[in-house]
Amino acid sequence: MANYSNSLYQQLEEETGIKTGQLLYLLFSVLRVMGISYNIIKPKEVAKLHPLVNIHDLVGALHLPGDAVVSPPDVNHALAVAAAGHGVQILDRTSVQQVVVEKGHVTAVETDRGTTECEYFVNCAGQWAYELGQASETKVSVPLHGCEHFYLLTKPLQEPLPPGSPVVIDMDGRIYVRPWQGGLLSGGFEKDPKPIFTEGRNQLEIQNMQEDWDHFEPMLSALLRRMPSLESAEIHQLVNCPESFTPDMRCLMGETPGVSGYYVLAGMNSSGLSFAGGAGKYLAEWMTYGYPTANVWPLDIKRFGNLQSSRTFLRHRVMEVMPLLYELKVPRWDFQTGRQLRTSPLYDRLDTQGARWMEKHGFERPKYFIPPGKDLLSLDQSKTFYKPDWFDIVGAEVKCCKEAVCVIDMSSFTKFELTSTGDQALELLQHLCANDLDVPVGHIVHTGMLNERGGYENDCSVVRLSKNSFFIISPTDQQVHCWSWIKKHMPNDPHLHLEDVSWKYTALNLIGPRAMDVLAELSYVSMTPDRFPSMFCKEMSVGYANGIRVMSMTHTGEPGFMLYIPIEYALHVYNEVMSVGQKYGIRNAGYYALRSLRIEKFFAFWGQDLHAFTTPLECGREFRVKFDKDTDFLGREALLQQRQDGVLRRFVMLVLEDHDTELDLWPWWGEPIYRNNQLAGSTTSSAYSYTLMRHVCLGFVSPPPGPEGLPTPITPDFINRGDYEVDIAGQRYPAKAKLYPFSSLFTQQQRRKDDIEVNLQGK
């Protein structure tokens, strides 16, 4: 988005003749996007680029030569002139009172100048987007909150900076400095921000916000440490202005889940001007074509629900978010505020047994369990890009999953029930899903819900509970998005009903070869594969509790079962499972073990490996697409065309070689993949495989363009005959790439190795 903004502002100057200030460099900290050229430079080179910078404590710097600074008023004026030239009518000094919604669709906007009928409405009200969303009769959730933001302006310096002097970002000092009208502008993101406008519409006017020199003092001290000569500079003004922030530091854009035609573009987290051009482009595509031309799921407003719109939650969360803009974020870090918002009935029970928690869509999920006697404090504070302190703990949980039985609380998963009086539910799912849902009662089907381009809108498991009733299981953060996608395509039929039952069921995942023994004792029913086949669901008793949905799947490829338990029975069933399981070596496990297991089995996950621009043919899931079923499903034509033309990229599994788990930096995700010394793609998931005893990366690779610059279809030979490397922080590590899991191959090799060692010892 930043790259597009950069080119747009240059184009505006050429088109309108209005100078937008495209002369200097933009802030590096708000342009952390891939594809921007940069240089690592030495301190002496820093001094040459910016004579005011104190370099005595520097070891180097990152220089972005292609960045620029623009003038916000000039950009706004240029955009307005360009829009007016294309027929856009602009009404300034006009107050929006509410958006009129009829039957779930935007129909008009009421203002203090009258009512304007419209088909689309974009809430880009910035600081007031939250209040505007709440003002209408049909309320729209826009989760953002304002904080005071301070920056200092100096009068012109006695010795002006050379033209083209770059913006200086001092991450440790939490400040930025850039030229401004012959002087300097310096602001920052302090550790103790001041939230504002919590009371809603009855808020202070922006112009009444006051200077606060005591609050700005740490940033002023950091400025003078980095540029000591500024001590003699004359201060023009300390500006206090509001900035809005979102719960996860990413902006909000897209169509809202509850109202058709109501779009949002807000919550820019102090990066508004940098991303405005690109964000506007994607939103315009969204409104015109029904989707943007790039994967913007990390920015989609549907990643949040109403539960993240509490004013108290937002106030506390943005106080944590704002300082994070200038802090080093280690892999798998977790927000500390706004926690324990959604919890399983087993939360307290698991917490007392050493659970350490992560948060997903507001839901607390166990990462791993600290055994008795471990140093809890040091584990909680472990921050590293290298081997983490939880390595051995997760390894023990994985081992138990493979050799005995583990229980993982997976209650956070999204769960829907779709029912009808006739065949309406089946017909809808057959249209939405690529796989065939017309299966016998009790069968489970893994499937994708695709868009018209053949990309994944949802990756789910569907259980046929009865002839006209289906149970849909989706990833945790799909709760709002999946609901919206299904409702968007549901006919207006009173005999067809969709219900979100996520809160009704506690989900326990029993993983391991002894899982069948535990359940057999608790149910007095044989759980062997011949009696309880894979991908099958039965409603049965577990302990004293009746009506438990037991499913023979685990989401990891290991043997085991999923138990969907009505919440009133959750504690009883968990206690019974743990009690009976003692003789089989049962233990709790967390999502880190689950992640390791699914990655070594080459299982793709929605939101990480799969998104709206990933098709089943690109990720080896064509077997889950039933082209010959009676119903013409969404995305079918696009997939048939892709199958005919050839796939341009493929999902691969890479096992690192010559990588020292103890000493080398770990891969986490997003690392470049090289094939034959050429950039071929990037990783989307990474984990240490305790089975293979190596790191495994999943990601997509593409062949280079053809002779005329056209995309080239990818073939298995291209994958198999290449020499691969994964780049981790500038160090490349050789990797073996495959289109199928390594697990069985390495397990056989390990067994042969063990047999040889046993024979040698015997001799």
Side-chain angles (χ1 to χ4, degrees):
M1 291 198 300
N3 275 336
Y4 180 83
S5 300
N6 206 342
S7 60
L8 172 66
Y9 301 153
Q10 290 177 340
Q11 179 185 335
L12 279 173
E13 191 168 319
E14 297 170 2
E15 181 178 335
T16 65
I18 299 171
K19 292 187 177 298
T20 57
Q22 187 84 10
L23 302 172
L24 306 176
Y25 296 96
L26 273 175
L27 301 178
F28 143 72
S29 63
V30 296
L31 287 178
R32 301 188 64 179
V33 294
M34 297 184 66
I36 298 177
S37 61
Y38 67 90
N39 302 308
I40 303 296
I41 61 176
K42 296 179 179 179
K44 289 183 179 179
E45 295 174 272
V46 175
K48 291 178 182 178
L49 288 168
H50 204 298
L52 298 184
V53 174
N54 175 16
I55 63 172
H56 81 278
D57 59 343
L58 299 183
V59 295
L62 182 67
H63 180 220
L64 284 78
D67 289 347
V69 167
V70 295
S71 164
D74 293 338
V75 168
N76 284 336
H77 182 44
L79 285 169
V81 170
H86 287 81
V88 174
Q89 184 180 8
I90 300 173
L91 302 177
D92 59 358
R93 302 182 183 277
T94 303
S95 175
V96 175
Q97 296 170 339
Q98 72 165 340
V99 180
V100 180
V101 178
E102 295 181 5
K103 297 181 179 179
H105 296 267
V106 169
T107 59
V109 177
E110 292 182 359
T111 74
D112 58 353
R113 293 190 180 187
T115 300
T116 300
E117 294 185 357
C118 62
E119 189 177 351
Y120 301 100
F121 174 78
V122 182
N123 182 342
C124 48
Q127 298 291 331
W128 297 275
Y130 179 98
E131 283 75 27
L132 181 56
Q134 297 296 305
S136 302
E137 184 175 341
T138 303
K139 298 184 185 304
V140 171
S141 173
V142 185
L144 55 78
H145 200 292
C147 277
E148 294 185 16
H149 179 57
F150 297 89
Y151 59 89
L152 180 72
L153 302 173
T154 75
K155 292 185 178 180
L157 304 176
Q158 291 182 354
E159 295 185 17
L161 288 169
S165 295
V167 173
V168 174
I169 308 291
D170 183 347
M171 305 293 281
D172 292 332
R174 314 183 71 83
I175 59 167
Y176 59 86
V177 188
R178 70 173 178 86
W180 179 80
Q181 296 184 5
L184 291 174
L185 181 154
S186 178
F189 299 95
E190 63 273 30
K191 288 187 176 181
D192 55 341
K194 299 170 66 176
I196 50 175
F197 302 163
T198 304
E199 298 302 319
R201 294 177 67 88
N202 298 322
Q203 55 192 238
L204 298 172
E205 294 295 328
I206 291 179
Q207 55 264 34
N208 291 334
M209 295 175 65
Q210 301 296 314
E211 294 180 346
D212 190 338
W213 283 100
D214 290 337
H215 191 78
F216 189 73
E217 193 279 330
M219 288 180 285
L220 178 60
S221 297
L223 172 63
L224 294 177
R225 282 194 301 272
R226 186 53 57 208
M227 298 181 178
S229 61
L230 291 182
E231 192 163 358
S232 60
E234 190 175 353
I235 294 173
H236 172 68
Q237 184 183 3
L238 178 62
V239 179
N240 181 4
C241 64
E243 287 279 4
S244 58
F245 298 87
T246 64
D248 62 359
M249 297 184 290
R250 300 194 298 266
C251 78
L252 305 168
M253 65 185 302
E255 190 173 22
T256 59
V259 182
S260 178
Y262 193 120
Y263 289 79
V264 171
L265 182 53
M268 303 305 288
N269 301 279
S270 199
S271 305
L273 201 59
S274 301
F275 296 145
K281 170 182 180 288
Y282 289 136
L283 193 70
E285 292 171 346
W286 212 324
M287 298 170 68
T288 304
Y289 309 119
Y291 59 90
T293 55
N295 173 41
V296 295
W297 166 246
L299 312 178
D300 194 327
I301 192 171
K302 290 186 284 294
R303 71 187 186 273
F304 293 120
N306 288 327
L307 58 97
Q308 285 108 341
S309 287
S310 155
R311 269 304 197 185
T312 304
F313 167 83
L314 291 171
R315 180 183 177 91
H316 291 177
R317 175 57 66 84
V318 299
M319 291 175 69
E320 180 183 10
V321 163
M322 186 174 171
L324 286 171
L325 292 175
Y326 274 16
E327 285 187 5
L328 182 67
K329 292 173 283 295
V330 297
R332 302 193 191 178
W333 61 275
D334 299 297
F335 287 111
Q336 301 302 307
T337 55
R339 299 296 296 272
Q340 299 185 30
L341 182 60
R342 305 173 71 196
T343 61
S344 157
L346 305 176
Y347 178 85
D348 289 339
R349 184 86 166 86
L350 299 178
D351 196 57
T352 59
Q353 296 182 78
R356 287 298 172 264
W357 302 93
M358 60 189 290
E359 175 257 331
K360 189 80 166 179
H361 198 59
F363 213 111
E364 297 294 329
R365 313 199 301 184
K367 296 187 288 189
Y368 49 81
F369 287 77
I370 300 177
K374 286 283 185 179
D375 186 348
L376 310 187
L377 187 61
S378 67
L379 276 168
D380 280 345
Q381 296 179 343
S382 174
K383 295 182 178 181
T384 182
F385 289 89
Y386 292 86
K387 177 184 175 182
D389 290 341
W390 44 257
F391 179 82
D392 292 332
I393 294 174
V394 174
E397 293 178 4
V398 169
K399 187 173 187 290
C400 188
C401 286
K402 289 180 172 295
E403 298 179 359
V405 56
C406 276
V407 58
I408 303 178
D409 185 348
M410 296 180 63
S411 302
S412 69
F413 269 41
T414 296
K415 300 171 279 288
F416 298 137
E417 286 184 1
L418 183 68
T419 58
S420 60
T421 55
D423 293 335
Q424 299 96 325
L426 175 62
E427 290 172 358
L428 175 62
L429 287 177
Q430 289 287 68
H431 175 63
L432 290 178
C433 299
N435 211 334
D436 189 359
L437 274 297
D438 193 6
V439 294
V441 171
H443 281 242
I444 306 169
V445 177
H446 289 321
T447 185
M449 292 185 182
L450 310 179
N451 51 44
E452 292 181 351
R453 304 178 307 281
Y456 281 92
E457 292 293 336
N458 183 28
D459 185 45
C460 56
S461 302
V462 182
V463 186
R464 191 168 195 176
L465 300 175
S466 66
K467 182 181 178 182
N468 300 318
S469 178
F470 297 84
F471 189 60
I472 305 168
I473 306 161
S474 299
T476 303
D477 55 1
Q478 276 282 71
Q479 187 168 13
V480 177
H481 179 73
C482 182
W483 172 272
S484 177
W485 184 256
I486 296 174
K487 293 291 285 186
K488 180 179 180 179
H489 295 89
M490 277 182 66
N492 186 16
D493 186 342
H495 302 293
L496 180 63
H497 181 63
L498 178 67
E499 181 184 4
D500 187 338
V501 295
S502 300
W503 62 275
K504 287 186 176 182
Y505 293 95
T506 296
L508 294 182
N509 195 348
L510 268 63
I511 303 176
R514 307 312 299 267
M516 67 177 69
D517 298 312
V518 174
L519 284 182
E521 279 200 38
L522 286 170
S523 62
Y524 293 94
V525 173
S526 174
M527 305 297 291
T528 56
D530 58 323
R531 297 293 184 91
F532 204 123
S534 177
M535 300 298 291
F536 193 73
C537 173
K538 284 184 183 179
E539 194 168 280
M540 52 193 291
S541 299
V542 178
Y544 296 149
N546 202 4
I548 312 301
R549 291 176 182 170
V550 180
M551 306 178 190
S552 51
M553 67 175 187
T554 62
H555 301 287
T556 66
E558 303 295 331
F561 301 89
M562 286 292 307
L563 277 61
Y564 285 89
I565 310 159
I567 56 171
E568 63 266 32
Y569 301 141
L571 192 58
H572 167 75
V573 172
Y574 173 80
N575 288 338
E576 290 293 297
V577 166
M578 294 302 287
S579 176
V580 170
Q582 292 304 311
K583 70 180 76 172
Y584 302 108
I586 199 169
R587 66 181 292 166
N588 292 300
Y591 273 77
Y592 284 8
L594 190 78
R595 182 185 182 91
S596 176
L597 290 167
R598 73 97 176 163
I599 287 177
E600 74 176 22
K601 286 291 196 302
F602 202 6
F603 283 11
F605 198 76
W606 198 94
Q608 295 174 15
D609 312 301
L610 310 177
H611 55 66
F613 286 84
T614 308
T615 74
L617 278 62
E618 296 169 347
C619 60
R621 291 188 170 186
E622 187 170 352
F623 67 96
R624 294 185 181 178
V625 178
K626 298 298 185 287
F627 289 104
D628 56 351
K629 70 177 183 178
D630 295 337
T631 307
D632 187 19
F633 60 88
L634 272 176
R636 181 176 182 272
E637 293 303 317
L639 294 184
L640 287 172
Q641 188 66 48
Q642 186 181 50
R643 190 164 67 172
Q644 177 180 323
D645 297 342
V647 175
L648 302 180
R649 63 176 192 150
R650 277 302 300 266
F651 193 51
V652 298
M653 180 179 189
L654 300 115
V655 176
L656 298 190
E657 299 181 324
D658 300 332
H659 179 270
D660 192 323
T661 303
E662 299 288 334
L663 302 177
D664 292 333
L665 282 166
W666 276 29
W668 295 98
W669 68 275
E671 292 84 12
I673 301 171
Y674 288 86
R675 179 189 180 275
N676 296 349
N677 210 34
Q678 287 188 323
L679 182 64
S682 62
T683 66
T684 52
S685 291
S686 298
Y688 183 82
S689 168
Y690 296 89
T691 304
L692 309 181
M693 294 182 290
R694 302 183 193 183
H695 262 97
V696 176
C697 300
L698 309 182
F700 288 88
V701 297
S702 303
E708 299 180 0
L710 298 175
T712 305
I714 196 168
T715 64
D717 279 350
F718 177 87
I719 301 294
N720 297 328
R721 295 183 180 181
D723 293 325
Y724 289 87
E725 295 172 304
V726 175
D727 186 323
I728 306 174
Q731 177 70 41
R732 294 190 192 180
Y733 295 91
K736 292 292 185 183
K738 291 289 183 182
L739 292 168
Y740 55 86
F742 275 82
S743 304
S744 57
L745 172 65
F746 276 83
T747 301
Q748 292 169 9
Q749 290 178 344
Q750 186 65 37
R751 286 174 181 168
R752 285 198 294 269
K753 179 182 176 183
D754 293 341
D755 291 343
I756 292 171
E757 290 176 352
V758 169
N759 291 335
L760 288 174
Q761 290 171 359
K763 291 180 180 178

